[in-house]
């Protein structure tokens, strides 16, 4: 295994900038790693060898010509398959988009390219980002690099697994209810959902437009900050894009000082229902924060127990509307047009029945029902009211504390297949991550160590007020450093099963 794949993104960029390694060598090392392990991990749906090597060569030429390189120039990255990339297959983990090559780059993709980031390929995901295990991908599940019989989280399991398996130091995920943070938690990586509106949604195939947000996946907090700074910022192509300065996330990651900070432990997001080893690592992290001079208090958010129910009305409602455009007429798959003399509606029906998997169909039906005349107020309207109450809980909490913390997920990675037939059990994985999406606030998951009972990674979640994403990085980096020195062993050790 080449040493180049062990470097962090920051180290890789420095090596490329100094000439210690060429961007092409770095890209090739990661492509080799993908060839070596991805048959077992299945993080990628598409690997763009040619495109990656060409992008890397362009960085090397720019350097040779004396150009100033941007902070992530020459660093390889894996892109979640929900982001458009011009000319590259984009399936969103669904059969219905099979064969579609978007004619344009998402804003995130365009910013990565402009920064000289080397896009290696597209990563596996639950169909249209619906799921917590990547098992709802039409292209087969991704396997957790820590234990190949276990789930890598979802929906962005491919992005998290690629980073955990050293196939890429960076990845892009999207988080509508936890799809960056929960995969990060169960793969021992760092994942951040920025404030809603901080990163453009242009070219992010929409699941639930009022909740979707793209963000970074990495192995260190600083790497996540560097990627965050690269993709964030106002975009006139997204009407919900925030038109204000991007918080100094890189500066915050470098500062890493929690002295005098007020940190709230969310009472409703721990204890009962949380695996003992998850709770234990979380409690140890709390003690570390106190030891570093933070003031840690318990904070109650009384409406959080209703967040999951509200989310599972709002999300299906929005997704039933967003997925209506996949009708066999405009994108990807078209089924049954030569079978008899079908009407347009019949072709649409056949295409959707063949192209969508069970979870997508379940949510489209739930959402259509929740929005239907006579039920709209009782379901969708009521859920929106709960959403307001959740936002108020956060607002009240942030009057008392600077950031809130909780375990990211109730358990470590579960076995593939374990929850596939029980949608509610699957949904419960997101109990701790969903409130942040409903309120639009930023959240980070970072590794808090391994659970003693199963040796699998545990994630700790940090949440901050809207547009205070820098606080996540400050607290995250401080905790990351403390965890390393406290345990005297690298959290970034190679995932053992590879
Ligand atoms: N697991 C959640 C769901 O199934 C979150 C999905 C997401 O964040 N994209 O909806």
């Amino acid at each position: 295994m080449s040493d180049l794949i062990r470097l962090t993104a920051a180290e890789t960029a420095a090596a490329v900038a100094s000439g210690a390694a060429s961007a092409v060598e770095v890209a090739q090392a990661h492509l080799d790693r993908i060839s070596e392990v991805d048959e077992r991990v299945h993080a990628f749906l598409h690997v763009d060898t040619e495109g990656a090597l060409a992008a890397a060569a362009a960085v090397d030429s720019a350097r040779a010509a004396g150009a100033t390189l941007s902070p992530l120039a020459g660093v390889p990255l894996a892109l979640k398959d929900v982001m458009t990339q011009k000319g590259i297959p984009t399936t969103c983990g669904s059969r219905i988009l099979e064969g579609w090559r978007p004619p344009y780059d998402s804003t995130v993709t365009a910013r990565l390219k402009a920064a000289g980031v080397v896009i290696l390929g597209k990563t596996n995901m639950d169909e249209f980002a619906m799921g917590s295990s990547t098992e709802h991908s039409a292209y087969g599940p991704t396997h957790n690099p820590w234990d190949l019989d276990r789930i890598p989280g979802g929906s962005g399991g491919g992005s998290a697994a690629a980073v955990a398996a050293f196939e890429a130091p960076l990845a892009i995920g999207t988080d509508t209810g936890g799809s960056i943070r929960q995969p990060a938690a169960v793969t021992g990586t760092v994942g951040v959902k920025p404030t809603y509106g901080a990163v453009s949604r242009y070219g992010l195939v929409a699941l639930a437009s009022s909740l979707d947000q793209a963000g970074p996946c990495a192995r260190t907090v600083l790497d996540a900050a560097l990627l965050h700074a690269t993709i964030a910022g106002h975009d006139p192509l997204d009407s919900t894009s925030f038109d204000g300065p991007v918080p100094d996330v890189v500066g915050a990651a470098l500062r890493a000082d929690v002295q005098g900070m007020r940190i709230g432990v969310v009472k409703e997001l721990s204890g009962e229902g949380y695996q003992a080893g998850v709770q234990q690592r979380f409690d140890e992290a709390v003690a570390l924060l106190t030891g570093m001079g933070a003031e840690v208090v318990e904070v109650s958010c009384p409406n959080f127990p209703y967040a999951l129910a509200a989310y599972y009305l709002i999300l299906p409602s929005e997704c039933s509307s967003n997925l209506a455009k996949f009708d066999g007429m405009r994108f990807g798959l078209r089924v049954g047009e030569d079978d008899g003399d079908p009407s347009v509606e019949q072709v649409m029906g056949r295409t959707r029945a063949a192209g969508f998997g069970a979870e997508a169909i379940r949510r489209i039906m739930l959402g259509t029902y929740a929005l239907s005349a006579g039920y709209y107020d009782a379901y969708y309207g009521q859920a929106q009211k709960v959403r307001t109450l959740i936002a108020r809980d956060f607002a009240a909490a942030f009057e008392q504390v600077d950031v809130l913390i909780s375990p990211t997920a109730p358990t470590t990675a579960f076995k593939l297949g374990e929850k596939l037939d029980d949608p509610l059990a699957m949904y419960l994985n997101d109990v701790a991550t969903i409130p942040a999406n409903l309120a639009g606030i930023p959240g980070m998951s970072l590794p808090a160590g391994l659970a003693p009972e199963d040796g699998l990674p545990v994630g700790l979640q940090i949440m901050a007020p809207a547009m205070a994403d820098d606080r996540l990085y400050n607290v995250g980096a401080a905790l990351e450093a403390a965890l390393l020195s406290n345990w005297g062993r690298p959290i970034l050790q190679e995932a053992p099963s590879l």
Side-chain angles (χ1 to χ4, degrees):
M1 181 181 24
S2 161
D3 285 347
L4 291 173
I5 66 165
R6 310 293 306 207
L7 301 180
T8 66
E11 288 164 353
T12 305
V16 170
S18 73
S22 74
V24 168
E25 276 173 337
V26 171
Q28 191 59 57
H30 287 87
L31 292 165
D32 291 348
R33 176 67 171 173
I34 292 169
S35 305
E36 185 196 335
V37 301
D38 209 53
E39 211 174 307
R40 283 169 285 158
V41 178
H42 192 38
F44 285 87
L45 292 178
H46 178 80
V47 178
D48 181 20
T49 304
E50 240 174 75
L53 291 172
V59 170
D60 289 334
S61 312
R63 181 180 176 276
T68 311
L69 299 182
S70 62
L72 288 178
V75 179
L77 172 140
L79 191 59
K80 189 176 179 184
D81 203 28
V82 72
M83 280 288 172
T84 61
Q85 183 181 354
K86 191 175 175 180
I88 301 290
T90 298
T91 67
C92 299
S94 180
R95 285 271 172 236
I96 210 159
L97 278 179
E98 208 169 322
W100 184 55
R101 288 176 188 254
Y104 71 110
D105 279 335
S106 75
T107 295
V108 166
T109 308
R111 289 190 181 177
L112 293 168
K113 286 182 175 175
V117 173
V118 174
I119 301 174
L120 296 171
K122 309 294 291 292
T123 56
N124 199 13
M125 55 186 281
D126 286 296
E127 184 169 15
F128 289 106
M130 293 182 253
S132 307
S133 68
T134 316
E135 293 168 293
H136 296 312
S137 167
Y139 303 97
T142 297
H143 300 257
N144 191 320
W146 290 82
D147 177 346
L148 296 172
D149 293 332
R150 290 180 189 264
I151 59 104
S155 63
S159 285
V163 169
F166 293 83
E167 294 172 275
L170 295 175
I172 293 289
T174 58
D175 192 314
T176 304
S179 286
I180 292 175
R181 289 164 289 159
Q182 181 258 3
V186 299
T187 57
T189 55
V190 178
V192 180
K193 181 198 97 67
T195 299
Y196 179 80
V199 177
S200 172
R201 291 184 298 109
Y202 179 74
L204 188 187
V205 180
L207 169 56
S209 310
S210 76
L211 300 161
D212 297 342
Q213 187 59 198
C217 312
R219 289 192 294 266
T220 71
V221 172
L222 177 61
D223 282 1
L226 289 164
L227 183 53
H228 187 134
T230 302
I231 59 173
H234 183 243
D235 176 15
L237 296 173
D238 172 2
S239 61
T240 59
S241 167
F242 181 72
D243 190 4
V246 179
D248 181 13
V249 291
V250 175
L254 293 170
R255 192 162 64 248
D257 176 15
V258 296
Q259 179 73 39
M261 269 187 98
R262 290 167 308 161
I263 297 178
V265 173
V266 184
K267 180 166 161 247
E268 287 75 11
L269 299 182
S270 62
E272 204 190 325
Y274 287 76
Q275 187 180 321
V278 169
Q279 188 67 45
Q280 183 187 329
R281 292 304 181 222
F282 177 74
D283 292 342
E284 287 166 5
V286 168
L288 283 174
L289 287 166
T290 311
M292 288 187 284
E295 185 193 325
V296 186
V297 295
E298 190 177 80
V299 175
S300 176
C301 294
N303 294 295
F304 279 20
Y306 310 110
L308 196 76
Y311 171 88
Y312 276 102
L313 286 166
I314 293 168
L315 180 134
S317 298
E318 293 191 24
C319 102
S320 69
S321 164
N322 274 326
L323 298 188
K325 62 180 169 285
F326 301 114
D327 57 5
M329 298 296 130
R330 286 169 275 204
F331 313 91
L333 191 71
R334 180 176 299 165
V335 174
E337 64 180 332
D338 302 324
D339 188 0
D341 184 18
S343 64
V344 171
E345 285 76 13
Q346 282 171 324
V347 174
M348 287 178 171
R350 289 171 187 173
T351 302
R352 286 169 69 84
F356 285 131
E359 184 63 20
I361 290 174
R362 178 180 296 121
R363 296 206 197 183
I364 290 168
M365 289 174 69
L366 279 172
T368 306
Y369 183 76
L371 291 177
S372 58
Y375 294 105
Y376 185 97
D377 288 341
Y379 292 109
Y380 182 73
Q382 202 67 10
Q384 290 291 18
K385 288 180 190 161
V386 172
R387 186 173 188 173
T388 300
L389 295 175
I390 304 284
R392 284 191 194 151
D393 276 0
F394 274 121
F398 287 130
E399 285 193 2
Q400 300 169 58
V401 295
D402 301 308
V403 295
L404 292 166
I405 57 172
S406 75
T408 309
T411 67
T412 56
F414 49 90
K415 286 251 163 68
L416 284 159
E418 195 179 311
K419 300 190 180 178
L420 206 46
D421 298 329
D422 186 349
L424 191 58
M426 190 72 88
Y427 299 166
L428 282 165
N429 282 289
D430 304 304
V431 69
T433 48
I434 278 171
N437 299 81
L438 289 173
I441 65 159
M444 168 188 284
S445 179
L446 80 154
L450 306 178
E453 60 269 51
D454 54 23
L456 292 168
V458 173
L460 180 140
Q461 175 174 234
I462 309 168
M463 294 172 281
M467 297 321 291
D469 304 47
D470 49 334
R471 290 186 201 169
L472 305 177
Y473 289 95
N474 181 24
V475 177
L479 205 45
E480 181 183 57
L483 286 165
L484 285 173
S485 58
N486 189 44
W487 295 348
R489 62 158 187 75
I491 289 185
L492 305 179
Q493 66 187 301
E494 177 150 6
S497 66
L498 289 174

